Amino acid sequence: MRASSEISQPGATDPAHWIALGRLGDRIVAVALDAKADETTRVDLAPPEVAAWVRRRESPSLRWVWSDTPTWYADLLAEGVRVARCHDLRLCHAILRTPGGDGAPGDPSMSRAWDAAAVEVPATAPALFEIEAAATRPSLPEDIEDVLTEFRRQRAAVEAAENPGAIRLLVAAESAGALVAAELRAAGLPWDEAAHDEILTDVLGERDADGVPAKLEDAARRVRIALSDPSASLDSPPKLLRALHRVGVMVDSTSKWELSEHRHPVIEPLLEYKKLSRLQSANGWAWLDEWVHDGRFRPVYMPGGVVTGRWASSGGGALQLPRQLRGAVRADPGWLLVTADVAQLEPRVLAAMSADTALAAAARGRDLYAGIVETGAVPSRADAKIAMLGAMYGATTGDSGRLVPRLRRTFPRAMGLVDAAAATGEGGGVVSTWLGRRSPPPPPEWQAVQARASEPDAAAADETRARRWARDRGRFTRNFIVQGTAAEWALAWMADLRGRLAALPEVGAADAASRSGPVFATRPHLAFFLHDEVIVHVPAAHAERAADAVRDAAATAGRLLFGDFPIDFPLDLRVSRIADKG
DNA sequence: CTCGCACGCGCG
DNA sequence: AAAGCGCGCGTGCGAG
């Protein structure tokens, strides 16, 4: 190993606000920047020295600037190094770039190289800090000068924004989310393989020599009897549809909701077959074998993977785990799980965004839908729920569509906000979340179709098509502002929670070390996230303090986004060893 | 053979 | 009762 040649040694009083990491040939360069992003010192390091150097320079008041969090942080975590804050250039670029921007200095739309998609970091990839890996790095810029240039552009874009305070909060929250995602993968979700196997065997039955579970086989047999077709294909929708038609079940599709409207001996076993076969193919033994190792499920989370700002996931279906399998999520011995989800996050966010004090009052301290019933707007909780969902999704027909006007009378401000977002979208405009994430503009074809429909000689079909597409986009922008702001609240919640958990005491490795890797084996950590829900894995002795941290972080997130506006975010919170039991 | 798409269903 | 938003993934199947 070469000794590091430090171009200038930062002293103990060096007031670095940021340290940017980037490459220079086969070296790693760290550039310390002051509050104005002016360079103060520069250090060049051999890749194997990076983790130890970062550990030494880490401080809660410092923000690490790097191209892409999984690329840089996964290796740090593997080496036992946790950082408090970062600025993820790829994610923040996506927030700050202006489609069709003028390309002026400071406008990040000019830095196209940063539009790269998320970088996949396979579990088996060579470590970043190994020199050989450099050749296989992705297309995202990593050279230190590119990193510094983009960082300065982004800083300028933030300051030039309409509401710099909100955008500053958004890029900080987005970057914190990137740290959380990397840590969630590093720590993993504690998963009891034996419990999972027990659930599968219980639901699907014992597997025969060919690996076919008995109850699945039995359901298939009963379906074929009811169809009077011993060789009927049950997994091909077109073939199954024809077989159903032959026995007089005249459905238009093979979806379960349509099937359940019919009465015929084939319906019950077919619905059973579909349910079992889904569990088998999506989260059966093959999934367990592929995705769970050493007692951990390690999904790949993709922060910012959805246009609204929600996370997506890639591999393992992390965001679609059936509730049926929650019983396999079990804390390590001596540890507990704190499971918390926010009740009715989206309507609460809507109440705050629109400053609708009537809706906020209906929500306060209780079930929001019960509060809506108390206003007299609708007769039952079920009505309140489908009316509210209909308002946020843009329902126009059915029970939901009929109930929305009642909400419009009772909560005119909240409904006015989503209606306005829909109108903007229908007109081809761009809407923004509370903190300023912009919806994508309509594609050029959309514009062309609208233009054609408004020409004097437009055909009726052109007008119909244009109108339908405009309405589709209206429903998208209507939902965008609410879903996106809810995602921002969740990021703020996790970012604050992450800091509170890091401040809790560690346990001694001899007492109750878990299998959560070098950073998290002895301290409470986030283990799962699902839009409005978190699971924290915590040494049993600190479970109550972790639960308080989860609640306090929710309150803090509400104040961070909405200040003094009187909206609360009550949690359903449980402390348990198994994620599905109290 | 691989690839892209539609379907259906899991999650919020 | 099952439409109104956002996703990922396994499966079958036709196109190349």
Side-chain angles (χ1 to χ4, degrees):
Chain A
M1 189 206 297
R2 277 197 284 167
S4 71
S5 54
E6 306 209 348
I7 294 164
S8 56
Q9 174 67 56
T13 58
D14 182 288
H17 283 241
W18 323 81
I19 297 180
L21 295 176
R23 292 182 174 277
L24 184 64
D26 61 4
R27 307 285 284 179
I28 304 292
V29 177
V31 177
L33 307 166
D34 63 18
K36 288 181 292 189
D38 288 332
E39 179 167 342
T40 58
T41 57
R42 179 172 287 229
V43 178
D44 113 271
L45 301 158
E49 302 171 313
V50 172
W53 191 85
V54 168
R55 188 201 306 273
R56 210 163 66 239
R57 292 303 312 269
E58 164 63 9
S59 133
S61 60
L62 174 69
R63 218 176 264 287
W64 296 92
V65 178
W66 49 45
S67 56
D68 172 68
T69 300
T71 302
W72 292 88
Y73 194 36
D75 291 338
L76 292 173
L77 286 169
E79 305 251 5
V81 179
R82 177 194 181 275
V83 305
R85 310 201 296 174
C86 81
H87 180 98
D88 183 304
L89 289 168
R90 183 183 68 82
L91 289 172
C92 295
H93 173 79
I95 289 169
L96 296 168
R97 70 181 294 265
T98 315
D102 62 8
D107 174 4
S109 66
M110 65 193 290
S111 45
R112 280 296 163 75
W114 291 90
D115 288 342
V119 176
E120 286 286 339
V121 180
T124 55
L128 168 67
F129 303 141
E130 290 169 10
I131 292 159
E132 313 81 67
T136 64
R137 279 293 116 186
S139 56
L140 213 58
E142 290 183 348
D143 284 353
I144 187 64
E145 295 309 327
D146 292 337
V147 164
L148 291 171
T149 300
E150 176 62 14
F151 178 58
R152 289 182 174 125
R153 277 184 191 136
Q154 293 191 8
R155 295 259 304 156
V158 167
E159 297 315 316
E162 216 171 296
N163 186 345
I167 291 289
R168 234 185 329 263
L169 183 52
L170 178 55
V171 300
E174 186 83 343
S175 298
L179 294 176
V180 171
E183 292 172 0
L184 283 169
R185 181 151 197 225
L189 178 63
W191 197 276
D192 187 320
E193 303 178 47
H196 186 156
D197 180 71
E198 204 173 309
I199 293 167
L200 292 178
T201 304
D202 185 49
V203 176
L204 299 172
E206 297 282 354
R207 288 174 290 174
D208 66 16
D210 297 329
V212 182
K215 294 185 181 179
L216 182 67
E217 180 67 16
D218 184 62
R221 187 184 55 80
R222 287 156 53 220
V223 172
R224 293 193 174 104
I225 289 171
L227 291 172
S228 306
D229 181 353
S231 64
S233 168
L234 308 188
D235 297 321
S236 163
K239 288 178 182 170
L240 178 58
L241 194 62
R242 285 194 293 273
L244 288 165
H245 288 174
R246 279 196 290 273
V247 296
V249 179
M250 304 312 285
V251 285
D252 292 325
S253 77
T254 64
S255 63
K256 64 176 182 181
W257 65 264
E258 192 174 357
L259 286 170
S260 59
E261 286 181 333
H262 287 73
R263 290 179 59 84
H264 185 281
V266 76
I267 302 297
E268 184 278 328
L270 181 52
L271 292 178
E272 177 74 3
Y273 175 83
K274 281 171 156 285
K275 198 173 77 186
L276 300 188
S277 133
R278 164 79 192 186
L279 177 63
Q280 153 97 330
S281 63
N283 297 99
W285 287 279
W287 181 91
L288 182 59
D289 192 48
E290 181 176 358
W291 288 101
V292 179
H293 298 106
D294 301 323
R296 289 293 186 274
F297 170 42
R298 295 176 199 279
V300 179
Y301 292 97
M302 304 179 67
V306 179
V307 279
T308 58
R310 270 190 176 180
W311 289 14
S313 66
S314 161
L319 307 184
Q320 304 134 260
L321 282 181
R323 305 205 73 89
Q324 208 173 7
L325 286 181
R326 283 302 183 93
V329 179
R330 302 194 176 195
D332 285 356
W335 290 57
L336 288 169
L337 300 170
V338 178
T339 306
D341 68 279
V342 195
Q344 305 107 24
L345 175 57
E346 292 191 352
R348 286 171 195 278
V349 154
L350 173 58
M353 295 172 78
S354 59
D356 191 319
T357 50
L359 185 55
R364 196 162 313 125
R366 63 178 156 190
D367 179 65
L368 175 139
Y369 300 127
I372 291 177
V373 173
E374 278 181 37
T375 67
V378 294
S380 72
R381 185 184 189 279
D383 289 332
K385 184 172 179 174
I386 60 166
M388 185 53 79
L389 291 176
M392 293 187 303
Y393 292 168
T396 53
T397 60
D399 290 346
S400 183
R402 276 192 293 281
L403 287 164
V404 172
R406 297 181 175 220
L407 291 191
R408 213 168 260 129
R409 282 194 293 276
T410 312
F411 307 114
R413 290 188 66 103
M415 298 301 114
L417 187 69
V418 285
D419 287 346
T424 300
E426 283 188 35
V430 166
V431 296
S432 293
T433 60
W434 184 246
L435 293 185
R437 192 188 304 261
R438 287 182 302 266
S439 69
E445 312 94 85
W446 188 94
Q447 305 276 18
V449 166
Q450 303 304 324
R452 193 170 314 130
S454 60
E455 281 167 12
D457 61 340
D462 289 335
E463 288 171 13
T464 306
R465 189 158 71 111
R467 197 168 185 88
R468 190 174 59 234
W469 204 355
R471 291 250 164 85
D472 288 348
R473 188 156 191 281
R475 286 193 303 277
F476 168 66
T477 51
R478 167 191 293 274
N479 187 249
F480 181 94
I481 61 167
V482 180
Q483 187 184 116
T485 304
E488 287 163 355
W489 183 93
L491 282 176
W493 183 33
M494 277 200 295
D496 190 70
L497 173 56
R498 177 179 177 272
R500 290 174 191 270
L501 293 177
L504 291 181
E506 283 185 77
V507 292
D511 298 338
S514 79
R515 294 196 270 179
S516 300
V519 176
F520 301 112
T522 56
R523 64 172 86 242
H525 59 89
L526 280 156
F528 188 63
F529 170 62
L530 181 54
H531 304 316
D532 63 356
E533 174 185 0
V534 295
I535 297 180
V536 175
H537 191 218
V538 57
H542 303 314
E544 286 310 320
R545 295 176 70 176
D548 286 340
V550 172
R551 282 184 283 254
D552 293 346
T556 300
R559 281 193 300 275
L560 257 178
L561 264 70
F562 304 117
D564 292 334
F565 184 79
I567 185 72
D568 59 0
F569 294 90
L571 303 179
D572 289 328
L573 182 148
R574 288 178 306 102
V575 178
S576 58
R577 202 175 93 65
I578 307 176
D580 76 338
K581 298 205 173 66

